[in-house]
Amino acid sequence: MSSRVTLQVRRVRPNHPDPLPLPRYETALAAGLDLRADIEEERTLKSLERFAVPTGLALALPPGYEGQVRPRSGLALKHGVTLLNSPGTIDADYRGEVQVILVNLSQEPFTLRRGDRVAQLVVAPVTTAEIQEVALLDTTPRGEGGFGSTGR
């Protein structure tokens, strides 16, 4: 069973003549709220080009929560478009406009239009850690084995 929190949302451009829908869950059991491109003109991303897409929204997440900005699987599969810095984190004390860093990893140009769904926002609880400096860490079978140390 999922829990519910209140996410306060402010439109950054509240008097826009063509307001976009507020984020919403597209299905009853969806984990993410869709974020849309709040742009005026079409924007074409060439291969390997990146663009910080404004969403037109600022958020107030409750204390103890973060917003995780994640790629949309359809954009990735159909167009090769995904997010850099993924998942992006929106901290509970950030009040600026949420922007989504899109990148076109395909060989074909991708055209972005006003209102296109560009990412999803998952609201998740945050655990904060108390830092404790120690001289030695406990040992484990893996030890200091890093990248690829556990096999394929």
Side-chain angles (χ1 to χ4, degrees):
M1 180 181 214
S2 64
S3 60
R4 296 184 73 81
V5 297
T6 299
L7 175 62
Q8 295 180 340
V9 178
R10 179 181 68 82
R11 292 181 192 269
V12 174
R13 291 170 280 286
N15 298 320
H16 193 283
D18 183 21
L20 297 174
L22 290 175
R24 66 177 179 251
Y25 297 100
E26 294 294 327
T27 65
L29 298 178
L33 298 148
D34 283 335
L35 297 174
R36 296 176 182 270
D38 188 7
I39 57 176
E40 294 304 316
E41 305 290 328
E42 287 185 354
R43 173 72 191 257
T44 299
L45 277 79
K46 295 179 248 170
S47 181
L48 300 180
E49 186 177 7
R50 61 190 177 271
F51 174 54
V53 181
T55 65
L57 303 173
L59 311 175
L61 290 145
Y65 287 85
E66 68 163 326
Q68 298 175 359
V69 181
R70 299 181 182 181
R72 295 192 67 238
S73 57
L75 280 179
L77 178 64
K78 295 175 185 173
H79 303 286
V81 173
T82 191
L83 303 185
L84 294 178
N85 192 39
S86 178
T89 296
I90 303 169
D91 295 309
D93 59 351
Y94 177 65
R95 295 296 183 268
E97 181 175 9
V98 173
Q99 295 190 39
V100 174
I101 306 171
L102 280 187
V103 62
N104 181 0
L105 297 178
S106 77
Q107 300 300 314
E108 302 298 320
F110 174 76
T111 300
L112 183 64
R113 295 172 180 85
R114 178 173 178 75
D116 282 353
R117 294 180 295 163
V118 292
Q120 52 187 325
L121 174 72
V122 175
V123 177
V126 171
T127 301
T128 55
E130 181 179 319
I131 304 300
Q132 180 184 36
E133 185 176 3
V134 296
L136 295 172
L137 299 174
D138 62 321
T139 59
T140 66
R142 180 176 179 175
E144 294 182 15
F147 299 108
S149 66
T150 59
R152 240 180 131 175

